[in-house]
Amino acid sequence: MAVTLKDIALKAGVSITTVSRGLADYDDVAAETRQQIRQIAQELGYRPNLLARRLQKQRTDTIGFILPTFGPRFSDPFFSEFLAGIGNETAVHEYDLLVSTHAPDSPGEQQAYQRAAQGGWVDGLIVVRTREDDARVRLLHEHRFPFVAFGRSCCDLDFPYVDEDSVAGMRLLVQHFVDLGHRRIGFIAPPDNLMFGRLRREGFLETMAANGLEVAPEWLVTGDLTQRGGAEAVGQLLGTGLGVTAVIASNDLMAIGAINRIQQHGLQVGRDVALGGFDDIPLAAYTSPPLTTIHQPIYEIGRQVCAMLIALVNGLMPTPSHILLEPTLIIRESSGQPLAPPTSS
Amino acid sequence: MAVTLKDIALKAGVSITTVSRGLADYDDVAAETRQQIRQIAQELGYRPNLLARRLQKQRTDTIGFILPTFGPRFSDPFFSEFLAGIGNETAVHEYDLLVSTHAPDSPGEQQAYQRAAQGGWVDGLIVVRTREDDARVRLLHEHRFPFVAFGRSCCDLDFPYVDEDSVAGMRLLVQHFVDLGHRRIGFIAPPDNLMFGRLRREGFLETMAANGLEVAPEWLVTGDLTQRGGAEAVGQLLGTGLGVTAVIASNDLMAIGAINRIQQHGLQVGRDVALGGFDDIPLAAYTSPPLTTIHQPIYEIGRQVCAMLIALVNGLMPTPSHILLEPTLIIRESSGQPLAPPTSS
DNA sequence: TTGAAAGCGCTAACAC
DNA sequence: GTGTTAGCGCTTTCAA
């Protein structure tokens, strides 16, 4: 079927070894022979069998990315942006990228990481959406399998990561709303087991406290990071007449869901309710009203994580190996105008 | 390093073959031996080396997906949705998914397909965004390499595909605007070399003609399918005072860019200008105003294409092998209310 | 400068 | 039931 070294060797009347060396630009093969070998390889349309080569070389030039997905789909623009970063970086280094999806903390996920770490068909892994105590991180660390994480985790372990400073980001966002005059601010929190979930929640509470503001327990609702989750959460926040004047969603996707639901309540985002998101996904600028949010260079993070990993599998410990990015506040219309000072009634 | 069959064989005092068979549940190995083998494998934490297995079996249980990207990134929600479909389907069949990105019609792309078709490290390929005369399709067809396309192409070749009926979709959309009373309709066309580009354009022109409506050449602007492209195109359409009352963007991403630009012109989408998109990406329902568009079950298409491909690499010609999906019209607010009949001045 | 031989880790035909 | 042998396609000592 496919053309192999053997075919070329036969046709050229030399040994397989020589062909191999000729094509690999070894310096110890006669220029003439090399010439001829190349010629024939060209004619026959030879392509090396990568599996064979990889088996022999014991490296795959492939990195793996196992996407944690809730539910049957992972159509999260955040990941799509992140994946773009990884994908382009792998391309630059002529690596392949193996993608698969598994529900977080599922047996399937566990197994996938096992397979990856020991099956020898990827050289390294990218771990995203770290959990507070992350079995994946522990597993890979234990096997000394190369990986780079987006997000911190398991604080007792040392491993390379890139992370955004969630606490700082949330501080910017909350302070923005406080400065606009808001005192009663609702928070759509991420699931608590996610590392960034805990940090964003902390950032929120911390900044509220720093401003001497109370947070009633009912103002804190957890959402599942999807649009639907955001809609439901904001529904809870609005439905019961809690009287919050602003809502912070802990990611843009939930914020987008929230916009929709708020409008269904007959309210206008940015006028009746101020709203903020987090991530600055590409579409955040195109919602209506455009979303005030915290910018993360998602694409860039993907690129960087991937570059670090490739360095790592090549035996170079990337420096620095712990990167913490400073987020920035992007003010758009969803956060509205400064509130009139409350009438003293 | 990694535990191999040999290690187990040594420890169990049997041959490598027996171990292999024991673990593979062959029926011709003594229950007792099998028991012991499994036991030891377990203890040692054995994981089969997939490369070796694949090299031997001459199949990789991996399918490839080469994403055509303009520019350095591919953060297109359409693809992210599509990828979700593929990803989940591969998972169901326990296949791996290899993803890479290349600029359309670039040498890199060409090479990637060559490698894939002959490098033996994927069993089949998914081709998307078919071009009218598609080098990729020709190449794969020529090599008899298994692939399934999303989109038709090269009409002289027979290959399995799933496609949406672009002409029918555009007909629905245009007719909707005509029925609302619009007569001067601008069109943001897709690049013409894309198969669906030609078809959507045809659908537009055809339906306009069927309604006896002129299309001034200036009402046709080509965009590059991105938000920015949509914004620029609509800018052209509005800036020169062409007086179109409605604009149809040939995909949602451009429509979203258009919304933005229209607002910058001080106009309101759905009131001053009617706007339509195409694809119904998940965010189309969340723009402001929500987007009237043509629905394609993107996730489902991804799933289906992938399922067909997996059937194909397993030697089953999928039936039917040509699927044409009927799109549906989703009316949201961006297309606005019926126009008042023009005053007869 | 070239070839023979071994081996990467696994599976499978064939013998015993 | 189990072992021997061969081989997937390639790279890489080691001799010639």
Side-chain angles (χ1 to χ4, degrees):
Chain A
M1 205 68 59
V3 182
T4 71
L5 287 186
K6 199 169 161 189
D7 299 320
I8 302 179
L10 232 56
K11 194 151 184 177
V14 294
S15 76
I16 294 180
T17 317
T18 305
V19 176
S20 173
R21 280 187 291 219
L23 292 174
D25 261 342
Y26 268 57
D27 36 356
D28 62 349
V29 60
E32 198 184 342
T33 320
R34 192 210 320 273
Q35 187 62 31
Q36 192 203 9
I37 287 170
R38 298 200 162 257
Q39 166 84 17
I40 297 179
Q42 177 76 25
E43 278 171 20
L44 263 44
Y46 170 76
R47 308 274 150 190
N49 181 312
L50 296 177
L51 287 183
R53 176 178 288 176
R54 288 168 178 179
L55 176 59
Q56 161 66 33
K57 291 217 161 168
Q58 297 290 73
R59 66 204 309 301
T60 63
D61 295 336
T62 302
I63 69 162
F65 179 41
I66 301 173
L67 215 38
T69 62
F70 304 87
R73 24 220 299 187
F74 66 77
S75 173
D76 185 327
F78 183 91
F79 282 139
S80 124
E81 188 75 2
F82 188 78
L83 193 59
I86 306 179
N88 287 124
E89 189 66 14
T90 51
V92 167
H93 296 273
E94 302 198 288
Y95 268 64
D96 283 324
L97 177 62
L98 205 48
V99 175
S100 64
T101 67
H102 286 284
D105 275 324
S106 62
E109 182 187 60
Q110 178 78 6
Q111 217 178 324
Y113 276 85
Q114 296 264 14
R115 265 181 17 125
Q118 299 171 69
W121 89 136
V122 294
D123 292 337
L125 281 174
I126 289 175
V127 176
V128 295
R129 267 206 187 151
T130 46
R131 276 86 91 166
E132 231 182 308
D133 188 348
D134 201 310
R136 302 169 298 171
V137 170
R138 292 209 180 279
L139 177 76
L140 297 176
H141 192 271
E142 189 179 316
H143 284 288
R144 307 193 184 299
F145 191 79
F147 73 101
V148 176
F150 175 23
R152 286 156 285 177
S153 171
C154 303
C155 309
D156 55 322
L157 262 35
D158 183 45
F159 59 90
Y161 64 76
V162 177
D163 202 358
E164 116 261 3
D165 191 341
S166 294
V167 172
M170 204 44 91
R171 192 181 303 132
L172 289 173
L173 194 56
V174 174
Q175 197 61 53
H176 171 62
F177 284 103
V178 171
D179 291 347
L180 287 175
H182 294 279
R183 295 293 172 264
R184 306 167 67 86
I185 304 178
F187 185 59
I188 307 180
D192 213 24
N193 62 326
L194 296 181
M195 195 64 191
F196 82 81
R198 220 200 60 203
L199 294 173
R200 291 188 190 175
R201 179 192 292 253
E202 268 179 29
F204 172 77
L205 294 173
E206 207 177 287
T207 314
M208 289 295 276
N211 282 279
L213 296 175
E214 300 278 338
V215 179
E218 312 88 62
W219 299 354
L220 261 176
V221 185
T222 299
D224 66 0
L225 301 176
T226 68
Q227 289 158 52
R228 173 192 298 260
E232 284 169 6
V234 87
Q236 252 181 279
L237 242 29
L238 296 179
T240 52
L242 302 172
V244 296
T245 61
V247 173
I248 291 177
S250 53
N251 74 340
D252 285 351
L253 222 45
M254 291 202 292
I256 289 171
I259 291 180
N260 213 247
R261 182 60 59 91
I262 290 170
Q263 283 168 347
Q264 286 172 12
H265 278 255
L267 301 173
Q268 195 175 316
V269 173
R271 198 193 56 190
D272 306 316
V273 184
L275 181 70
F278 202 114
D279 284 345
D280 197 28
I281 60 177
L283 279 138
Y286 293 93
T287 54
S288 153
L291 201 58
T292 290
T293 189
I294 296 295
H295 178 77
Q296 299 193 62
I298 310 173
Y299 174 87
E300 199 47 46
I301 294 172
R303 243 189 27 70
Q304 199 160 133
V305 165
C306 187
M308 285 169 69
L309 181 56
I310 289 179
L312 196 59
V313 303
N314 286 305
L316 313 165
M317 190 58 185
T319 46
S321 61
H322 301 158
I323 297 180
L324 198 59
L325 298 166
E326 277 314 305
T328 55
L329 175 66
I330 309 288
I331 300 176
R332 299 201 185 94
E333 293 165 34
S334 74
S335 48
Q337 299 299 313
L339 281 192
T343 54
S344 55
S345 69
Chain B
M1 203 70 58
V3 181
T4 71
L5 288 186
K6 198 168 161 190
D7 299 320
I8 302 178
L10 232 56
K11 192 150 185 177
V14 294
S15 76
I16 294 180
T17 317
T18 306
V19 176
S20 173
R21 280 187 292 218
L23 292 173
D25 261 340
Y26 268 58
D27 36 355
D28 63 349
V29 58
E32 200 183 341
T33 319
R34 193 212 317 276
Q35 187 61 30
Q36 192 203 8
I37 287 171
R38 298 198 164 260
Q39 166 84 18
I40 297 179
Q42 177 77 23
E43 277 170 20
L44 263 42
Y46 170 76
R47 306 275 150 191
N49 181 313
L50 296 176
L51 287 182
R53 177 180 288 177
R54 288 168 178 179
L55 176 59
Q56 157 66 31
K57 291 217 161 171
Q58 295 291 76
R59 66 204 310 301
T60 62
D61 295 336
T62 302
I63 69 163
F65 179 42
I66 300 173
L67 216 38
T69 63
F70 304 88
R73 24 222 296 187
F74 65 76
S75 174
D76 185 328
F78 182 91
F79 283 139
S80 121
E81 188 76 2
F82 187 79
L83 193 58
I86 306 178
N88 287 122
E89 190 66 14
T90 50
V92 167
H93 296 274
E94 302 198 289
Y95 268 63
D96 283 324
L97 176 62
L98 205 48
V99 176
S100 65
T101 67
H102 287 283
D105 274 325
S106 63
E109 181 187 61
Q110 179 79 5
Q111 217 179 324
Y113 276 85
Q114 296 264 15
R115 262 179 23 122
Q118 301 171 69
W121 90 133
V122 293
D123 291 337
L125 281 174
I126 288 174
V127 176
V128 295
R129 272 214 181 142
T130 47
R131 277 86 91 165
E132 231 183 307
D133 188 349
D134 201 311
R136 303 170 296 171
V137 170
R138 293 209 178 278
L139 177 77
L140 297 176
H141 192 270
E142 189 178 315
H143 284 288
R144 306 192 185 299
F145 191 79
F147 73 101
V148 176
F150 175 25
R152 285 155 286 177
S153 172
C154 303
C155 310
D156 55 321
L157 261 35
D158 183 45
F159 59 90
Y161 64 76
V162 177
D163 202 359
E164 116 261 2
D165 191 340
S166 293
V167 173
M170 205 43 93
R171 193 181 303 131
L172 290 173
L173 194 57
V174 174
Q175 198 61 52
H176 170 63
F177 283 102
V178 171
D179 291 347
L180 287 175
H182 294 279
R183 295 292 172 265
R184 305 168 68 85
I185 304 178
F187 184 59
I188 306 180
D192 212 24
N193 62 327
L194 297 181
M195 195 65 190
F196 82 81
R198 219 199 63 204
L199 294 172
R200 290 188 191 174
R201 179 192 292 254
E202 268 179 30
F204 172 77
L205 293 174
E206 207 176 288
T207 314
M208 289 295 276
N211 282 278
L213 296 175
E214 300 277 340
V215 179
E218 313 88 62
W219 299 355
L220 262 176
V221 185
T222 299
D224 66 0
L225 301 176
T226 68
Q227 290 157 51
R228 172 192 300 259
E232 283 168 6
V234 88
Q236 252 182 278
L237 242 30
L238 296 178
T240 54
L242 301 172
V244 297
T245 61
V247 173
I248 292 178
S250 53
N251 73 340
D252 286 349
L253 221 46
M254 291 203 290
I256 289 172
I259 291 180
N260 213 248
R261 182 60 59 91
I262 289 170
Q263 283 170 347
Q264 286 172 12
H265 277 254
L267 301 173
Q268 196 175 317
V269 173
R271 198 194 57 190
D272 306 315
V273 184
L275 181 69
F278 202 115
D279 284 344
D280 197 28
I281 60 177
L283 278 139
Y286 293 93
T287 55
S288 151
L291 200 58
T292 290
T293 189
I294 296 294
H295 178 75
Q296 298 193 60
I298 311 174
Y299 174 87
E300 199 48 44
I301 293 172
R303 243 189 27 72
Q304 201 161 128
V305 166
C306 187
M308 284 170 71
L309 181 56
I310 290 179
L312 196 61
V313 302
N314 286 306
L316 314 165
M317 191 56 185
T319 47
S321 62
H322 301 159
I323 298 179
L324 199 59
L325 298 167
E326 279 312 307
T328 54
L329 175 66
I330 307 288
I331 300 176
R332 299 202 185 93
E333 293 164 34
S334 74
S335 49
Q337 299 299 312
L339 281 192
T343 54
S344 56
S345 70

